[in-house]
Amino acid sequence: MGKKASMTRRAFTKLAAATAIAATVSLEGAQALGATAGEKTAVPEVKRIRTACRGCGKMECGVWVTVENGRAVKIEGDESAFQSRGNCCTKSQASLEAAYHPDRLRYPMKRTNPKTDDDPGWMRITWDEAFKTTVAKAQEVQERYGGCSIAGITGTSRVWPMAGTAGWIRMWGSPNGIQAWQICKGPRHFTGNLVSQFAHSWVATVDRPRVYTAWGGSTEISNYDDSCRTSVEASNQADVRIIVDPRVTNLGKESDYHLALRPGTDAAMAMGWAYIVVDHQLYDDLYVKKWTNAPFLVVEDMEPSGYDTVSTNGDPFTLKTRLLKASDLDENGNPHHYMVWDALADRLTYFDSETGQWEGEKWAKPTEGFTPNQKIVEGVSQGWCPNPTPFDPEIDPALYGEFEVTLKDGSVHSARPVWEYYVESLEDYTPEKTAEITGVDAELIEEACLAWATRIDPTTGYGNGGIRYMLAVEHSGHAVQTCRTLDMLAQLTGNMDTPAGHRGATRSPVEGGHAGFGSNAPGCPPMPEENQLKRLGTDRFPLLRWWRSWADANSVWEAMTTGEPYPVVMAMNSSGDFMCQGNTAYNWEALSKLDFIFEANLWQPPSAGMADILVPAQHWLEIPGCPRASQGSTGAMGANVNCIEPIGESMFDPMILVNFHKYAGVPYWPQKPDCSYPTEKDLLDDGVKFFRDSWDEYVEEFQNNGWWDVKTVEPELWGTYRRYETGALRSRNSGGILGTKGDFKPGFYTPTMKVEIWSTLMESYHPGEGWELPSYAEPPHSPLSDPEMAQEYPLIITTGRRIPVYFHSEHRQLPWCREQWPVPRVEIHPKTAAEYGIEQGDWVWIETPFGKIRQVADLYMGIDPGTINCEHQWWFPELKQASKGHELCAVNHLVDRNAQDPHCGTGNVRAYLGKIYKATPENSPFGNPVPCGNDGTEIITSADDPRLKEWASAIDAIGSDTAKWEEYAR
């Protein structure tokens, strides 16, 4: 027992440095620490395989894997991978431990003990029993309650294990998927689809922006849309570096401008920047007039009108808006003709949202343009950028003014452009007012914004680069509106689909994972419309009907717990996580209510503690393969390639879906009668069919030549910028899914085919609520919005920062990682720590009205005294109990589960109020400030813990040897 973690900051730093050196030395040699090749042979068989690392779930870093006598012994960066620049991070190298860890699942198992027991009593079964039992249970639930009573759960994407909220539940007719996407990138993709273009939050950092702007994250620490080294190089090469973050990040201390805003005030800062952009006339006038709905006229006192339509996601709805249309002026007028005032001719004219053309326009795809001259990686294509096209015939849509219009009923009204309403909304966000809200100096706000928005080289015709806004902006309770404010900044300043701007997901000719490779079966029966309408959460969040992706996670947990509005009694989990959103304690209790849970995983994480059947999935080094293209705007295309034999009876996730179809008697590929249930090879061949004849041909080319530059592979769909000019943004469906066909019309996938400053979808699904324009609102529990709570809970809690050796909830059992970062830390300013009698290394309680946890105090000058920064999703594989100790330190035990974004349901998991105090023997279970399991066993708190040594020894000795593993397990 003790009051402090057994390592000081200085000791930790020395150990981390020593461990890093040791790891480097061992990886350079013939054997790897903790992952040796076993017995030596006279002539070892050595292979070097090019593949994509999936040590984290976000970035497709290119790596070489060295395999000696069938065992992976080394992972290093691939020099051909321009997207990751030969980077190979700690998580990547630690995959050598993950693949051979003794705690890996090796066989299907079933529970034999009640869910109240710490020991599930796992019994080994066959895959046949696992599939038969699960399919029989799903059929029983479907018959008794309906398919909607089956929920799915998935975690962060590895691309191939995403069927839990896709094919696994859709084959039973359920729309109720709990997706990590709802809390991770989904809100910005939702927003893009809502008002501009799906996933165009992604920034082409690979194009090297002139001004590097990172907002709410640290991609230099852990991979995101671009890898660690790419982020650092892009920052180092930029003329100006801007960081917007409550704490000093690694790049923050190197930045030219660091805007340390109060957590949760990102939208206020973005509105403040927009005010400065407009005030200094730094917006792109032609783009704003031609490609946004800024000049569309609003008749404020008109009854909203419109037409019946179907959303791009398949939801039938009635569009109703106060934007003036020809049908409002004339009984026979076209409701798709949106009216603007032509200041040149001093008359009304219109834009046609069916054809994508202005009155009298005869659109032709532009042919004049230029090759950009970005400081990009050598050997990567610059692409081609068309020149902005003027209005033809020439008009000048008014952005300001008040115009008298007579409606078809004879009533006379005033109409004003959307732009004027938007500019008026910005008047509350002058630098001085923004400073009051965010806590950042007004002059610093203005200087940073001007540095970003003022074009360094005006001759390019586009902006200095996009804004890399990350997860923090989605977590303060107003995710969609915050993302809208940031999206607007890119739109105004010439950073939409331009070099180093916001380009969206890479459009490649292989199924790179945007739809989840192998996660959906073509033979899955179509979702009945009545089931779509039963998607949980649509009563509270109407736009989820339009979105048709996730169900609201909180609503699904409620249905499990209360049976309302109908019971959810079964779940199917593909590597999903109940700790990432909502209140973790409530979610854990909800899982305990279910009749049956099927889970596929690499490990036994906390979720497995409630499973009835648990089956082993394959590690990224083991899978047979997977085509891969950049999820973001990097434009790389390659593959995951098989490196080693799978351990035990682990199965490739897509084959789990194939087998579910087979056992249920539903053809996976009904269009291929001779191949109703495809093999791994069939799936892989299908994944590259638009590019190469077979998977083998694709892999051979990849091994020989390295990663493809998609700009050269798809010159029209990806190698061209300003694709709203060329029609290429609409070449596929609104999600950009490979194999779908679009109409190649100019513009965007919104109801008006314009970037919607005034959102017609917000107006239609949330009528009369005032969400038409981007806006800012305080987090639900902030010092300003909840002053009563602030009296007892005076500190602002933020969380979610990146840790070099972990990826969200992953890698806590890997010795290389856990040795470097053994315990969860809460960053606290030394002044605040002194006020509460807290010293470096103390275990402390962090508490809110909704729960409390413990973490280790880490005194840090780089955070505001009124804010503490907790770490997220901690659990403890070393504890012998079903929960794996999530209740001890997992930060989402602190959140208000009912504080959610009003549009997409994303939870308020940062920027809420709490308090902190020292953990003592008197206020801690077992009289021990160190968190302990149910039997009093302490968690691992130091690098010299013998349990880490035991894991490392087992990894070294057992590897993939089944007999040795069974002896170890006994």
Side-chain angles (χ1 to χ4, degrees):
M1 294 193 301
K3 69 174 184 177
K4 299 181 180 180
S6 56
M7 193 183 308
T8 65
R9 175 181 281 276
R10 179 173 294 181
F12 173 83
T13 303
K14 293 170 92 174
L15 176 67
T19 308
I21 293 170
T24 303
V25 171
S26 66
L27 285 171
E28 289 301 319
Q31 297 179 343
L33 177 64
T36 58
E39 294 185 7
K40 296 291 182 180
T41 58
V43 182
E45 181 188 21
V46 179
K47 297 178 182 179
R48 196 163 181 256
I49 300 166
R50 171 176 274 139
T51 186
C53 176
R54 304 306 286 156
C56 78
K58 295 298 183 200
M59 177 63 191
E60 47 290 320
C61 292
V63 295
W64 286 105
V65 177
T66 300
V67 180
E68 183 176 328
N69 295 329
R71 178 163 183 158
V73 297
K74 185 177 183 180
I75 300 174
E76 57 191 326
D78 176 2
E79 69 285 353
S80 82
F82 62 88
Q83 75 278 14
S84 51
R85 302 290 286 124
N87 178 72
C88 183
C89 78
T90 52
K91 295 180 291 297
S92 179
Q93 295 178 48
S95 293
L96 295 171
E97 292 193 319
Y100 300 110
H101 200 287
D103 285 359
R104 279 277 308 278
L105 296 177
R106 298 189 176 226
Y107 307 105
M109 300 185 294
K110 69 178 179 181
R111 169 186 295 276
T112 60
N113 288 339
K115 294 188 180 182
T116 53
D117 284 11
D118 270 342
D119 177 13
W122 293 117
M123 176 185 292
R124 180 177 172 179
I125 60 175
T126 64
W127 274 102
D128 180 66
E129 183 177 350
F131 284 126
K132 282 181 177 177
T133 302
T134 305
V135 168
K137 187 62 180 179
Q139 290 171 334
E140 175 191 331
V141 171
Q142 187 181 44
E143 182 176 342
R144 182 177 178 183
Y145 300 101
C148 294
S149 290
I150 303 173
I153 309 172
T154 49
T156 297
S157 163
R158 286 299 193 285
V159 179
W160 57 87
M162 296 174 67
T165 54
W168 287 8
I169 60 171
R170 289 177 185 169
M171 64 185 297
W172 309 110
S174 176
N176 290 323
I178 298 173
Q179 299 182 19
W181 199 23
Q182 188 179 6
I183 201 78
C184 177
K185 301 191 308 296
R188 74 196 61 182
H189 295 167
F190 181 107
T191 302
N193 215 181
L194 189 77
V195 296
S196 56
Q197 194 75 9
F198 175 78
H200 271 243
S201 50
W202 298 121
V203 173
T205 314
V206 71
D207 289 345
R208 300 300 189 261
R210 298 296 298 270
V211 177
Y212 179 87
T213 307
W215 196 308
S218 302
T219 60
E220 70 275 13
I221 290 295
S222 185
N223 297 344
Y224 192 65
D225 50 337
D226 284 302
S227 78
C228 311
R229 182 175 172 185
T230 296
S231 295
V232 173
E233 286 190 0
S235 174
N236 288 344
Q237 291 180 16
D239 296 82
V240 181
R241 293 173 287 186
I242 302 171
I243 305 297
V244 184
D245 199 288
R247 57 186 294 277
V248 178
T249 62
N250 287 48
L251 288 180
K253 62 184 175 59
E254 310 292 339
S255 62
D256 298 293
Y257 301 95
H258 176 208
L259 277 56
L261 76 177
R262 173 165 61 91
T265 61
D266 303 271
M269 182 67 76
M271 295 285 280
W273 276 31
Y275 173 89
I276 295 165
V277 168
V278 173
D279 188 50
H280 288 263
Q281 297 186 354
L282 294 174
Y283 58 89
D284 187 320
D285 186 69
L286 176 60
Y287 181 88
V288 167
K289 289 178 177 178
K290 189 173 184 184
W291 298 108
T292 80
N293 68 357
F296 288 17
L297 295 174
V298 179
V299 179
E300 193 170 0
D301 57 353
M302 178 180 76
E303 187 70 23
S305 64
Y307 47 88
D308 293 334
T309 185
V310 177
S311 76
T312 54
N313 304 309
D315 182 46
F317 77 105
T318 300
L319 186 141
K320 288 188 175 182
T321 178
R322 288 172 290 160
L323 295 179
L324 184 65
K325 302 164 291 299
S327 56
D328 299 315
L329 301 171
D330 187 289
E331 196 65 48
N332 298 315
N334 190 329
H336 297 277
H337 287 182
Y338 287 89
M339 310 307 296
V340 304
W341 188 266
D342 178 11
L344 196 64
D346 200 28
R347 70 175 184 92
L348 286 172
T349 185
Y350 65 82
F351 173 78
D352 188 335
S353 66
E354 287 185 305
T355 65
Q357 299 184 48
W358 295 84
E359 181 183 11
E361 183 181 12
K362 302 296 182 184
W363 176 78
K365 186 161 62 175
T367 57
E368 295 183 1
F370 60 97
T371 301
N373 188 28
Q374 298 293 119
K375 298 177 183 178
I376 60 176
V377 177
E378 184 178 353
V380 177
S381 170
Q382 291 276 2
W384 180 76
C385 188
N387 295 328
T389 55
F391 286 99
D392 184 17
E394 186 179 3
I395 60 172
D396 183 18
L399 295 181
Y400 296 93
E402 189 168 344
F403 310 99
E404 187 176 283
V405 296
T406 302
L407 303 186
K408 60 188 176 185
D409 64 1
S411 59
V412 178
H413 301 259
S414 292
R416 294 195 294 149
V418 165
W419 180 256
E420 193 164 287
Y421 283 91
Y422 176 60
V423 172
E424 285 178 0
S425 75
L426 300 177
E427 291 176 0
D428 289 333
Y429 299 94
T430 63
E432 293 73 24
K433 291 179 180 178
T434 303
E436 290 178 13
I437 298 170
T438 64
V440 180
D441 180 75
E443 288 187 10
L444 182 60
I445 292 171
E446 187 159 19
E447 287 176 13
C449 177
L450 291 176
W452 174 72
T454 305
R455 294 180 184 177
I456 293 174
D457 181 3
T459 65
T460 63
Y462 51 81
N464 294 324
I467 296 175
R468 299 187 71 194
Y469 58 94
M470 290 161 260
L471 296 191
V473 307
E474 300 175 343
H475 293 165
S476 61
H478 297 281
V480 171
Q481 287 297 88
T482 300
C483 290
R484 286 183 70 187
T485 65
L486 288 156
D487 181 78
M488 277 309 307
L489 286 172
Q491 305 293 348
L492 297 181
T493 54
N495 287 299
M496 174 61 179
D497 202 24
T498 50
H502 292 250
R503 302 211 64 211
T506 298
R507 296 284 179 96
S508 83
V510 302
E511 179 41 75
H514 302 141
F517 177 78
S519 295
N520 286 288
C524 184
M527 180 80 67
E529 188 60 28
E530 63 188 69
N531 288 24
Q532 289 283 10
L533 295 175
K534 293 178 70 176
R535 186 183 303 272
L536 288 167
T538 55
D539 55 335
R540 292 180 59 197
F541 311 105
L543 276 166
L544 293 186
R545 295 199 308 269
W546 158 82
W547 181 231
R548 292 200 171 198
S549 180
W550 58 72
D552 171 49
N554 204 33
S555 299
V556 179
W557 300 125
E558 285 181 4
M560 293 177 182
T561 303
T562 68
E564 298 295 336
Y566 54 83
V568 171
V569 299
M570 175 178 173
M572 305 180 77
N573 182 5
S574 57
S575 304
D577 177 9
F578 66 94
M579 301 184 294
C580 67
Q581 58 184 316
N583 186 280
T584 300
Y586 185 93
N587 301 347
W588 174 252
E589 181 66 19
L591 288 174
S592 73
K593 305 288 187 184
L594 295 177
D595 294 345
F596 187 86
I597 301 174
F598 172 91
E599 178 164 340
N601 215 311
L602 295 172
W603 317 95
Q604 293 185 46
S607 57
M610 287 294 175
D612 294 276
I613 287 186
L614 187 60
V615 299
Q618 291 178 0
H619 188 263
W620 69 265
L621 289 168
E622 300 167 340
I623 66 167
C626 181
R628 182 62 183 170
S630 298
Q631 67 161 340
S633 301
T634 309
M637 186 175 82
N640 277 94
V641 178
N642 174 256
C643 298
I644 59 176
E645 289 296 314
I647 65 166
E649 295 177 2
S650 58
M651 185 177 289
F652 186 36
D653 290 84
M655 295 308 297
I656 297 176
L657 177 58
V658 171
N659 276 285
F660 273 138
H661 273 259
K662 188 173 183 178
Y663 277 78
V666 179
Y668 183 97
W669 275 346
Q671 74 275 29
K672 299 180 181 181
D674 58 338
C675 190
S676 296
Y677 304 106
T679 64
E680 295 171 346
K681 179 66 163 54
D682 293 328
L683 291 174
L684 292 168
D685 285 345
D686 190 68
V688 298
K689 65 185 178 183
F690 295 108
F691 185 62
R692 292 293 182 262
D693 291 335
S694 70
W695 173 249
D696 290 341
E697 179 187 350
Y698 182 84
V699 170
E700 182 179 6
E701 190 172 340
F702 176 58
Q703 294 299 307
N704 292 334
N705 302 326
W707 289 77
W708 286 272
D709 177 2
V710 182
K711 285 181 184 174
T712 61
V713 173
E714 288 282 11
E716 185 175 21
L717 301 192
W718 188 250
T720 298
Y721 295 97
R722 291 183 175 137
R723 288 164 294 165
Y724 50 84
E725 292 265 15
T726 68
L729 278 188
R730 295 174 61 99
S731 60
R732 298 177 182 173
N733 70 2
S734 64
I737 303 301
L738 180 65
T740 60
K741 299 294 184 182
D743 55 23
F744 262 99
K745 293 176 182 177
F748 302 85
Y749 267 120
T750 62
T752 61
M753 293 183 70
K754 299 297 183 190
V755 172
E756 292 198 355
I757 301 174
W758 180 287
S759 172
T760 56
L761 287 170
M762 278 287 197
E763 192 176 14
S764 298
Y765 282 86
H766 287 270
E769 296 182 24
W771 299 111
E772 291 85 359
L773 296 170
S775 62
Y776 166 70
E778 278 287 316
H781 301 296
S782 81
L784 299 184
S785 63
D786 197 345
E788 184 177 344
M789 181 177 172
Q791 290 181 10
E792 184 177 353
Y793 302 93
L795 298 174
I796 299 173
I797 297 175
T798 188
T799 184
R801 72 181 172 102
R802 294 300 180 251
I803 301 173
V805 294
Y806 297 131
F807 180 69
H808 296 312
S809 63
E810 297 181 25
H811 309 323
R812 302 305 196 279
Q813 63 278 83
L814 305 185
W816 287 350
C817 298
R818 192 71 180 277
E819 286 171 357
Q820 302 237 24
W821 208 289
V823 293
R825 308 186 210 163
V826 52
E827 289 181 335
I828 182 172
H829 193 280
K831 178 182 176 182
T832 310
E835 181 182 339
Y836 289 97
I838 294 168
E839 298 178 9
Q840 174 71 24
D842 281 343
W843 281 97
V844 296
W845 287 101
I846 304 113
E847 184 177 339
T848 72
F850 312 102
K852 65 179 184 177
I853 59 170
R854 276 170 288 177
Q855 297 194 357
V856 168
D858 190 10
L859 275 58
Y860 184 48
M861 293 288 290
I863 195 165
D864 185 84
T867 299
I868 58 174
N869 178 33
C870 299
E871 291 179 1
H872 67 301
Q873 289 181 267
W874 269 85
W875 59 287
F876 302 100
E878 63 268 24
L879 296 182
K880 307 300 182 185
Q881 60 192 63
S883 71
K884 297 298 181 181
H886 68 78
E887 66 277 11
L888 302 174
C889 301
V891 73
N892 283 348
H893 280 274
L894 305 178
V895 305
D896 176 0
R897 57 182 296 274
N898 293 311
Q900 295 179 264
D901 175 83
H903 305 116
C904 68
T906 298
N908 175 204
V909 296
R910 307 191 202 205
Y912 53 86
L913 297 172
K915 63 183 179 182
I916 191 169
Y917 52 95
K918 193 171 180 176
T920 66
E922 293 74 25
N923 65 20
S924 301
F926 301 102
N928 189 352
V930 177
C932 301
N934 293 341
D935 60 1
T937 302
E938 286 190 3
I939 63 168
I940 292 170
T941 61
S942 67
D944 60 0
D945 191 293
R947 288 168 289 185
L948 291 175
K949 308 304 178 187
E950 181 183 345
W951 273 333
S953 297
I955 291 167
D956 181 52
I958 297 171
S960 57
D961 190 309
T962 298
K964 290 181 179 179
W965 176 81
E966 290 177 344
E967 182 180 346
Y968 169 87
R970 285 195 294 270

